[in-house]
Amino acid sequence: MAAFGASTGAAAPTCATSTAAATAGGAEEWRGVAAVGGPWLVLSVSASWVCLAQLARVAEKRTEELQHSSAVPLMTVANTSAWMALCVPYALRRRRELFGASASASCASSGGTNAGSAAAAAGAGIGTWRLPELVRTDAFGSWQPARFLAIAVTTNFCYISALHFMPASLNTAIFCTSPIFTLLLSAIFLPKDLLAAPSEPGDHDLACGLGDRSRRLQRRRALSVVLSVVGVLLIAEPWHAASAHGAGESALGERLTGALLSLFASVGTAVYQVYFKLTFGSRLRPDEVGLFLANMGAICCSVLGGALAVLLATGLYPLRLSLVPWGHVGATAASSTVFNFLMKFGLSVDSPLAMSLATQIGIPLNLLLDVAVAHERIDLAQALGTIVMLFSFTLQQQQQHRPAPALPDAGPPDRGGLQEQLLSRQSGPDDH
């Protein structure tokens, strides 16, 4: 312990500079990570979703080959368990802050900055490095992860349940309407400063009262959503599955039930994304996003993990753990961790609509990967759907990062008049 204190004291010769440097470093880190937004963030979300889907598919097929059983319940618990590792960056930052606070208090009481006082501060700080203290935060309440987890579980349950009543292509076709609900809910509930990413030029236009440009941006967003939905429909080709699914009353009732469940899942996904943005805005740091997911993972793992243990012990879930392809399951869990972190982080620094379209872009990427790896054939409609979705992505990113037009420089008097117009516009009855 003395050696640890001496090394710490040598690294931080003063008490005040250590805490200030940690705070400044954290702010600079957040600004650097937030600057990663834009098309690269959207493509990262899409790529991680493709990896997750492909790895989960391989793990499920391998499990069925080895023991004719499904690995979906096991992978669900494994995925959420892996999320808990995301609390480590926050815990490390919290540890540095606690040590800095204890070091400052010890140095203030001793009136010195030598190695002996730093060693005493290190000894006082070690007692506060308990896990509950390291993961304590004021960024969100303890009940909020459980609330979002309830929405996510309900949405996933509806989506999976819809597969029992309709083919996967029909389910995908209905679920792809999620960006439409995201666009509508964003326009209704989100304030103007949260409708887009903080760096989006459209925010400047809205602030300056350039209504024509903001309306053009909204029309472009709507067009990109419509093109995305059309692209998914062309790729999924639900009309083939509908014609082969039967036309009797029982088949029609099953299809209607599946359609309602898939539609509810689509709305639930939009509600989750918009509600997350409305609740947290852009204030969550990357490590706080990881801590939020870790809380969700801990709750889900404790509940679903206990249920899985009971099912395995009683034999109701006939899965032999010795025959589980743990390498594939672990890779799926890692991909799930990356995807969910990027999605939550994207909601913090970008718009819900951009993240909703990011998952849509993963559909043609999955199709292209199937063609390249599994040598599956695609028809003309699917190829056209891929082109339409790529055009939708290009349109969405182009309108988001197009430079804002420069305002005419009319001199100091006009600038004052413009400020008065802005103040009156912001205080008007139409302001949200």
Side-chain angles (χ1 to χ4, degrees), residues 167 169-171 173 229-246 255 379-382 384-385:
S169 58
L170 287 176
N171 194 16
V229 173
V230 171
V232 173
L233 292 176
L234 291 174
I235 292 175
E237 297 181 331
W239 46 87
H240 293 329
S243 60
H245 199 57
R255 196 184 308 169
D379 54 27
L380 181 61
Q382 291 175 324
L384 180 60

Side-chain angles (χ1 to χ4, degrees), residues 210-223:
L210 300 182
D212 291 340
R213 177 169 171 80
S214 66
R215 283 192 292 270
R216 288 197 299 269
L217 290 175
Q218 292 296 332
R219 286 195 295 268
R220 287 177 177 269
R221 291 191 184 104
L223 178 60

Side-chain angles (χ1 to χ4, degrees), residues 229-317:
V229 173
V230 171
V232 173
L233 292 176
L234 291 174
I235 292 175
E237 297 181 331
W239 46 87
H240 293 329
S243 60
H245 199 57
E249 291 185 3
S250 60
L252 182 60
E254 290 181 357
R255 196 184 308 169
L256 180 59
T257 302
L260 291 177
L261 287 171
S262 183
L263 187 63
F264 192 86
S266 176
V267 176
T269 301
V271 169
Y272 184 98
Q273 295 172 346
V274 175
Y275 183 41
F276 189 92
K277 187 69 173 182
L278 181 63
T279 302
F280 301 109
S282 304
R283 71 174 184 268
L284 288 184
R285 299 163 53 106
D287 53 0
E288 291 171 344
V289 172
L291 181 64
F292 186 86
L293 265 174
N295 278 268
M296 291 181 63
I299 298 171
C300 195
C301 180
S302 60
V303 176
L304 296 183
L308 180 64
V310 172
L311 294 176
L312 289 173
T314 57
L316 296 176
Y317 180 29

Side-chain angles (χ1 to χ4, degrees), residues 38 193-203 221 277 282 349-351 400-401:
D193 58 339
L194 296 181
L195 282 174
S199 59
E200 184 175 330
D203 293 342
R221 291 191 184 104
K277 187 69 173 182
S282 304
V349 301
D350 212 317
S351 64
Q400 179 167 334
H401 299 283

Side-chain angles (χ1 to χ4, degrees), residues 328-398:
H328 296 95
V329 172
T332 303
S335 298
S336 173
T337 302
V338 174
F339 167 71
N340 282 277
F341 172 78
L342 290 176
M343 176 63 72
K344 301 296 184 297
F345 174 66
L347 289 173
S348 295
V349 301
D350 212 317
S351 64
L353 180 60
M355 293 301 102
S356 183
L357 292 175
T359 56
Q360 302 282 66
I361 294 299
I363 295 177
L365 293 181
N366 260 321
L367 182 64
L368 295 176
L369 191 61
D370 288 339
V371 172
V373 177
H375 304 289
E376 295 187 3
R377 301 182 55 142
I378 63 174
D379 54 27
L380 181 61
Q382 291 175 324
L384 180 60
T386 302
I387 296 175
V388 170
M389 291 202 67
L390 293 178
F391 178 75
S392 169
F393 169 75
T394 304
L395 178 65
Q396 193 268 341
Q397 292 298 319
Q398 191 178 40

